[in-house]
Amino acid sequence: MALADSEVNFLRGLVAEQTGNVITPRQAYLLEQRLTPLAQTTGASDVHQLVAQLQSTQNTQLCESVAEAVTVNETSFFRDMHVFECLASQIIPELVERNRDKKQINIWSAACSSGQEPYSILMLLRDQCSQLADWTIRILATDISNEMLSKTRRGVFSELEVNRGLPDNLLKRYFHRSGAAWQIRDDLRKMVEVRRLNLTKPWTRMDVFDIVFMRNVLIYFDQRVKSDILSRTHRTLAKDGYMFIGSAETTIGLGVPYMREEINGTVCYRPTAC
């Protein structure tokens, strides 16, 4: 039996409160599809009973699990390859020159999902930038999903995952077989700092980053939440830093202090004075 409108509205409100993610009434099917496996793990017979549990107990952990379950975790290695080509050809060489004295580059991969993005960044830096061997390269990978963060920490990917965007030469150079899967080299895995972070909640302990990847996550938020997230991101971005958002995302109409810049056909955003 399909979810009642009252159940859908309750779940939509819960997800919005937990993550800022806007679920439309037309996406009710997504709630039932994503929450059925979760209901089974909690002992509920179906999603209806799961909703009843949520309404009666206000279990914080269960609320977080529901929000995680409906979060989209689509990603792949070197997703939108032109972005990484832009990094290699223009941005990283500029940062190397600019940061030559301190020999450090800080990069934040927000909404990192299962880790393909931060590991793609690291492989690019290792493969393209031999002069960075004695530099401090800090990659912060954050996500709201504990399951995705655990996968990022492990750095183990299936055959299907490595076949989506990962060049064969990089697979051979930076991975080794782990049963039927592939394990990224420990030296790369240990270079990624993995942390749970809800973009819609207050952030703590954030450094200043030369590059921020916040791709394909803003599309799930309303205008107010987008503006708030980007305004706070501005405070973590170096004054001459770079921010990448998804190709279907924009800062237009948000009133946030960024300037759109195109580098060899690749769009990025640079912070401006508030």
Side-chain angles (χ1 to χ4, degrees):
M1 185 171 64
L3 290 170
D5 289 347
S6 59
E7 293 173 313
V8 170
N9 289 334
F10 171 80
L11 290 170
R12 290 177 60 220
L14 186 154
V15 172
E17 181 181 358
Q18 290 289 321
T19 68
N21 193 349
V22 178
I23 305 292
T24 67
R26 291 185 299 178
Q27 293 176 301
Y29 72 92
L30 179 66
L31 294 170
E32 189 159 6
Q33 182 185 77
R34 295 290 182 87
L35 294 179
T36 295
L38 177 63
Q40 294 169 350
T41 65
T42 65
S45 59
D46 54 26
V47 180
H48 301 287
Q49 195 172 99
L50 176 65
V51 171
Q53 284 182 14
L54 289 163
Q55 291 174 325
S56 63
T57 65
Q58 296 295 309
N59 183 312
T60 301
Q61 183 59 53
L62 186 56
C63 289
E64 290 181 356
S65 297
V66 167
E68 286 189 22
V70 300
T71 299
V72 176
N73 293 304
E74 172 62 24
T75 188
S76 61
F77 286 103
F78 294 98
R79 186 178 185 181
D80 299 324
M81 186 61 188
H82 62 92
V83 171
F84 294 91
E85 291 170 347
C86 177
L87 278 183
S89 65
Q90 299 288 330
I91 294 177
I92 296 301
E94 179 186 318
L95 289 176
V96 168
E97 185 61 33
R98 184 195 309 161
N99 297 350
R100 189 170 298 280
D101 290 338
K102 64 179 181 179
K103 290 190 173 183
Q104 180 169 341
I105 295 176
N106 292 342
I107 300 174
W108 176 21
S109 171
C112 69
S113 189
S114 47
Q116 284 91 323
E117 180 174 88
Y119 288 128
S120 294
I121 296 167
L122 264 180
M123 284 186 283
L124 179 145
L125 292 174
R126 281 291 185 89
D127 205 55
Q128 302 285 333
C129 308
S130 57
Q131 70 267 45
L132 299 180
D134 61 342
W135 283 49
T136 298
I137 305 298
R138 182 176 177 228
I139 309 288
L140 174 64
T142 67
D143 202 90
I144 193 173
S145 169
N146 287 314
E147 179 183 356
M148 292 297 103
L149 294 174
S150 178
K151 184 172 175 62
T152 300
R153 288 189 186 97
R154 292 195 305 271
V156 177
F157 300 93
S158 69
E159 193 77 37
L160 177 62
E161 288 171 322
V162 298
N163 283 335
R164 293 188 64 201
L166 182 61
D168 188 58
N169 65 311
L170 297 185
L171 176 64
K172 292 176 179 176
R173 190 173 307 154
Y174 296 115
F175 289 78
H176 61 81
R177 273 287 186 184
S178 177
W182 292 88
Q183 168 81 61
I184 197 160
R185 274 176 22 189
D186 275 355
D187 58 325
L188 267 71
R189 184 175 58 83
K190 291 175 181 178
M191 289 177 68
V192 176
E193 178 188 348
V194 182
R195 188 193 306 173
R196 187 177 190 274
L197 187 143
N198 185 337
L199 290 172
T200 69
K201 306 295 183 183
W203 308 339
T204 58
R205 299 187 297 114
M206 296 297 282
D207 290 337
V208 174
F209 297 95
D210 299 292
I211 308 172
V212 172
F213 284 77
M214 192 169 288
R215 302 192 298 160
N216 306 302
V217 63
L218 296 174
I219 54 175
Y220 300 108
F221 304 131
D222 63 26
Q223 296 292 92
R224 179 189 62 80
V225 174
K226 289 178 186 178
S227 179
D228 178 60
I229 291 171
L230 290 176
S231 294
R232 286 186 286 135
T233 300
H234 184 274
R235 296 195 288 272
T236 74
L237 191 59
K239 67 181 187 308
D240 47 8
Y242 297 83
M243 180 180 71
F244 290 95
I245 59 179
S247 58
E249 298 168 326
T250 180
T251 62
I252 294 174
L254 297 179
V256 289
Y258 294 91
M259 172 181 66
R260 184 182 185 274
E261 185 173 307
E262 191 168 322
I263 304 174
N264 295 336
T266 295
V267 173
C268 63
Y269 291 82
R270 311 295 303 277
T272 59
C274 296

